[in-house]
Amino acid sequence: MSKQKQAQLRKSVAPFATSDTKISIIQIINSFVPFFLLWFLAYQSLSISFWLSLPLSIVAAGFVVRIFIIFHDCTHMSFFKSGKANRILGTITGIITHFAFEKWKRDHSIHHATSSNLDKRGTGDVWVMTVDEYTEASFWGRLGYRLYRNPLIMFGLGPFYLFFISNRINRKGAKRKERWNTYLINVSLVAIYALLIWLIGWQALLMVQLPIMFVAGSLGVWLFYVQHQFEDSYFENEEEWDYVKAAVDGSSYYKLPKVLQWLTGNIGFHHVHHLSPRVPNYQLEKAHESTPPLQKATTITLKTSLQSIRFRLYDQASRTFVSFKEYKAMEKQKNSSVSLKVNRAKFQQE
């Protein structure tokens, strides 16, 4: 894609990078009200059976994901026209989702500025090793990477690490506004949990809140993972990296059933979001449908997205993700070729 076409593509999406206060307020109502109602019903159902409460908690988790998308828009200053309104709502939704608003706002902006750039990995993204890097890594480096990419750890323990460790601690060198926002959210969470324990007891709190946070966290990590980890995703070194190609070719269009698309706040149109982060979630589908070049982005479905679980390493030679099994076969073939060349050289010398 030429620079001229790239500029035209970004220009085509620009009209959708505007917030609509009425739609934003409606979205707050249809996200917050069902969440708190389902939470209350899940608690009330405990008097009958935990197994009646659990399905309600799982549905409530879907609304936590939807509230996170509102939080996400606020970090991009796209949900409201007012920066102050975005920060206030972002902090409130940060309390509900257990994410530090200012901290995540910074990290996520870096993710957008460096997504798919092999020379600028490490902030706000999923850890990706190339085949060559993995080959050269130490035993402990390989083990750490294998553990990180293990689905049980990434989607099981990963959410709790984000909720209770990563988002509770300020980074070294954080500015005052970022530090105090994290403190405010931490204190709010402690106060809310203390109040709930006093009102309903810690056992009931765990039975309702733990499933909600686990399911919501796992779904959130999955969405973030799958929309950049598809077979022919775009990755380049700094000198070849291009922002528009990283957005369109390095982010997928996750085509979900309408109910799931609604619950996930249209974040499946991830290529549109990366091309223009100021487009609020309720404008993403319109931008996609109105811009033909964006409709050529890699499309994945619920079924095909499951294939991404086996993707472990990025092979720069073939520009695709490979599994550890495929990597092992590649190394075996490489070693066989080296041995063949060595034996041939010896034979010629003799």
Side-chain angles (χ1 to χ4, degrees):
M1 185 185 296
S2 67
K3 293 292 182 182
Q4 185 178 358
K5 287 185 177 180
Q6 289 181 11
Q8 182 59 45
L9 185 59
R10 297 184 76 173
K11 188 177 179 180
S12 299
V13 177
F16 301 96
T18 55
S19 60
D20 185 314
T21 302
K22 182 180 178 180
I23 296 176
S24 294
I25 292 173
I26 291 172
Q27 196 165 73
I28 291 171
I29 294 170
N30 64 30
S31 302
F32 280 56
V33 173
F35 166 68
F36 287 116
L37 179 61
L38 285 163
W39 205 106
F40 178 73
L41 291 175
Y43 165 65
Q44 291 293 324
S45 299
L46 288 175
S47 61
I48 301 173
S49 169
F50 169 73
W51 300 110
L52 178 60
S53 172
L54 183 60
L56 292 168
S57 292
I58 292 173
V59 178
F63 282 91
V64 173
V65 173
R66 184 167 169 80
I67 291 170
F68 179 83
I69 299 304
I70 294 175
F71 165 87
H72 171 256
D73 276 4
C74 289
T75 65
H76 286 294
M77 298 287 131
S78 66
F79 198 70
F80 288 121
K81 292 181 174 66
S82 165
K84 185 177 181 180
N86 280 308
R87 286 189 172 87
I88 292 172
L89 183 61
T91 299
I92 293 170
T93 51
I95 293 169
I96 295 172
T97 60
H98 293 45
F99 271 73
F101 174 75
E102 292 291 347
K103 178 182 180 180
W104 202 79
K105 178 176 177 291
R106 172 193 174 273
D107 288 353
H108 194 60
S109 66
I110 293 174
H111 162 70
H112 272 265
T114 61
S115 180
S116 299
N117 189 323
L118 291 171
D119 294 321
K120 293 184 177 180
R121 287 165 287 169
T123 301
D125 54 16
V126 174
W127 186 12
V128 174
M129 263 191 173
T130 65
V131 167
D132 291 340
E133 289 169 343
Y134 186 78
T135 301
E136 296 169 4
S138 66
F139 168 80
W140 295 110
R142 289 189 178 196
L143 178 61
Y145 186 72
R146 278 182 172 269
L147 290 173
Y148 177 93
R149 302 286 294 203
N150 185 293
L152 293 177
I153 293 177
M154 181 174 286
F155 307 114
L157 297 179
F160 292 109
Y161 171 77
L162 290 173
F163 293 147
F164 300 116
I165 299 177
S166 176
N167 278 287
R168 308 281 68 83
I169 303 171
N170 280 311
R171 65 183 176 85
K172 186 177 180 181
K175 293 182 179 179
R176 182 177 178 179
K177 182 170 70 173
E178 184 180 324
R179 293 200 314 272
W180 281 100
N181 181 261
T182 302
Y183 296 151
L184 173 62
I185 291 174
N186 287 351
V187 170
S188 299
L189 283 170
V190 170
I192 291 169
Y193 275 120
L195 178 62
L196 287 172
I197 289 171
W198 179 69
L199 287 173
I200 67 176
W202 67 267
Q203 297 97 330
L205 177 61
L206 276 180
M207 284 190 282
V208 174
Q209 184 69 356
L210 197 62
I212 290 175
M213 298 313 295
F214 174 73
V215 174
S218 297
L219 288 175
V221 173
W222 170 255
L223 285 170
F224 193 77
Y225 170 86
V226 76
Q227 295 191 308
H228 293 287
Q229 313 282 310
F230 49 95
E231 190 169 11
D232 56 349
S233 185
Y234 171 88
F235 282 91
E236 282 289 359
N237 291 109
E238 171 68 15
E239 60 271 15
E240 298 294 332
W241 183 82
D242 180 87
Y243 179 86
V244 175
K245 285 185 69 65
V248 180
D249 297 335
S251 304
S252 65
Y253 164 35
Y254 198 6
K255 192 173 184 178
L256 294 169
K258 285 296 180 181
V259 173
L260 294 180
Q261 180 185 322
W262 186 84
L263 276 176
T264 57
N266 297 310
I267 201 60
F269 297 95
H270 211 61
H271 56 305
V272 182
H273 170 64
H274 263 264
L275 180 64
S276 183
R278 293 300 294 268
V279 176
N281 74 82
Y282 46 78
Q283 301 276 30
L284 291 173
E285 184 174 13
K286 294 177 186 176
H288 172 83
E289 296 296 339
S290 302
T291 315
L294 291 177
Q295 295 165 24
K296 297 177 182 179
T298 300
T299 302
I300 56 176
T301 63
L302 276 177
K303 183 178 179 180
T304 59
S305 68
L306 295 177
Q307 298 173 7
S308 68
I309 295 175
R310 67 183 181 85
F311 298 149
R312 297 289 191 268
L313 301 163
Y314 188 75
D315 182 22
Q316 287 181 271
S318 62
R319 295 180 179 273
T320 60
F321 271 100
V322 297
S323 65
F324 284 131
K325 185 177 180 180
E326 289 169 327
Y327 167 78
K328 190 175 180 180
M330 288 164 59
E331 286 298 292
K332 187 176 180 180
Q333 185 177 15
K334 186 191 298 183
N335 293 333
S336 296
S337 299
V338 171
S339 297
L340 182 62
K341 289 180 180 178
V342 170
N343 291 333
R344 186 177 296 166
K346 286 182 178 178
F347 177 78
Q348 290 174 347
Q349 289 175 355
E350 292 175 357

